[in-house]
Amino acid sequence: MSHLEVVDIRKRFGGLEVLHGVSMRAEMGRVTALIGPNGAGKSTLANIISGYVRADSGRVVFAGHDLTRKRVHQRAALGLGRTFQNLELFHGMSVAENVTLGRYRSARLRWFTGPGRHDAPAVTEALRTLTLADQRDQDVGSLSFGRAKMVEPARVVVAEPSMIVMDEPAAGLTSARKAAFGHWIRGLLSPTTGVVLIEHDMQLIMSVSDYIYVLDHGVLIADGTPDEVRRNDKVREAYLGTGEEA
Ligand SMILES: Nc1ncnc2c1ncn2[C@@H]1O[C@H](COP(=O)(O)OP(=O)(O)O)[C@@H](O)[C@H]1O
Ligand SMILES: [Mg+2]
């Protein structure tokens, strides 16, 4: 089976237990959302999935491989892609060069080969679908916030990952851009491609997700379809803070 699964993940930072035994599963062909209030542990879980942070215990399994002890570039080589909550762009380089870096799944290979060639059809296609085609030769530092937010997703998809983990890729976008981005995310799906989406905007989550996990203080308090999660009282209390529809 080619799904992604995390099993009973625990993580502590110093005295603070951030994840208390979290298990979730993301299938190909689906958007699996991870939501929850600030500090719930979402980014930490994304870092554990992609290998930037090591869990204290538990397992990460992807496409039949136990990733738990694998390094970031090994996970990437197995088809795991990732965007960051804070933009990780290389200023002084063009949009196309930043996106082209995604072609090199191994960081080491990336530094040896360097950027330069950005004529790969996958790069052109990513720039087009994320409306960056007109900015391809511009320095990333000169982009508006909304366009800069599109560079990382473009960089991730050019590696043709089979599972893409995105940490708040739409945060701060206008609602029109959010809607377009949600549409783009749905377009990534295929029988061999899935998405894990961390996001705050409930409207976006409810419209793009097939399945939702809700994390609160390091504990999964609910999971289900958008309708099930919307109706869940625990979610309303913990996530919306009021017990009422926001
Ligand atoms: N590297 C770190 N060192 C210490 N504490 C951390 C570190 N990363 C995250 N935390 C803490 O872990 C908790 C969960 O953070 P995070 O995973 O970023 O939550 P979320 O992405 O859901 O907002 C927070 O209390 C945060 O301060
Ligand atoms: Mg976060």
Side-chain angles (χ1 to χ4, degrees):
M1 277 300 285
S2 53
H3 62 272
L4 169 72
E5 196 167 6
V6 301
V7 185
D8 202 20
I9 296 287
R10 290 177 185 276
K11 180 66 188 175
R12 206 174 243 296
F13 287 117
L16 182 68
E17 186 156 19
V18 171
L19 296 170
H20 303 254
V22 173
S23 300
M24 64 179 273
R25 181 183 168 111
E27 307 279 354
M28 296 299 173
R30 287 176 147 203
V31 175
T32 304
L34 178 61
I35 67 173
N38 264 328
K42 306 180 298 295
S43 293
T44 301
L45 190 59
N47 285 332
I48 287 170
I49 290 171
S50 45
Y52 291 93
V53 169
R54 183 145 297 188
D56 296 334
S57 65
R59 289 191 307 139
V60 179
V61 180
F62 177 54
H65 298 269
D66 189 334
L67 301 188
T68 313
R69 292 182 193 292
K70 295 207 189 294
R71 300 177 56 176
V72 171
H73 70 271
Q74 295 173 305
R75 298 180 196 218
L78 288 168
L80 207 54
R82 165 75 195 278
T83 70
F84 290 87
Q85 182 167 0
N86 298 309
L87 296 182
E88 302 270 339
L89 302 181
F90 295 95
H91 287 222
M93 287 168 65
S94 73
V95 171
E97 285 168 340
N98 268 268
V99 172
T100 300
L101 288 175
R103 295 293 289 172
Y104 308 103
R105 285 183 174 184
S106 147
R108 201 184 312 160
L109 185 64
R110 176 186 299 171
W111 296 122
F112 279 125
T113 38
R117 284 176 58 77
H118 49 263
D119 52 355
V123 172
T124 300
E125 179 64 7
L127 293 174
R128 188 184 65 76
T129 57
L130 287 162
T131 65
L132 289 168
D134 292 343
Q135 287 76 30
R136 66 176 296 147
D137 297 320
Q138 245 174 272
D139 188 309
V140 284
S142 71
L143 296 179
S144 69
F145 176 82
R147 285 209 198 279
K149 278 292 270 185
M150 297 298 106
V151 177
E152 270 207 66
R155 183 161 62 198
V156 169
V157 296
V158 298
E160 295 166 28
S162 41
M163 186 61 75
I164 307 165
V165 180
M166 289 191 258
D167 193 355
E168 301 199 21
L173 297 183
T174 62
S175 53
R177 276 193 195 275
K178 268 186 189 165
F181 187 68
H183 189 71
W184 178 81
I185 288 178
R186 293 299 307 180
L188 294 175
L189 299 177
S190 80
T192 56
T193 313
V195 170
V196 174
L197 177 64
I198 297 174
E199 177 53 44
H200 263 301
D201 187 285
M202 289 301 261
Q203 200 180 336
L204 180 62
I205 282 292
M206 291 297 169
S207 64
V208 304
S209 308
D210 296 291
Y211 202 83
I212 302 174
Y213 288 88
V214 187
L215 195 61
D216 185 31
H217 292 101
V219 178
L220 279 178
I221 58 165
D223 62 282
T225 63
D227 270 345
E228 288 165 349
V229 164
R230 205 195 312 264
R231 288 195 304 261
N232 186 300
D233 287 338
K234 269 200 260 177
V235 177
R236 291 191 187 193
E237 264 172 55
Y239 191 71
L240 304 173
T242 62
E244 285 166 21
E245 203 83 60

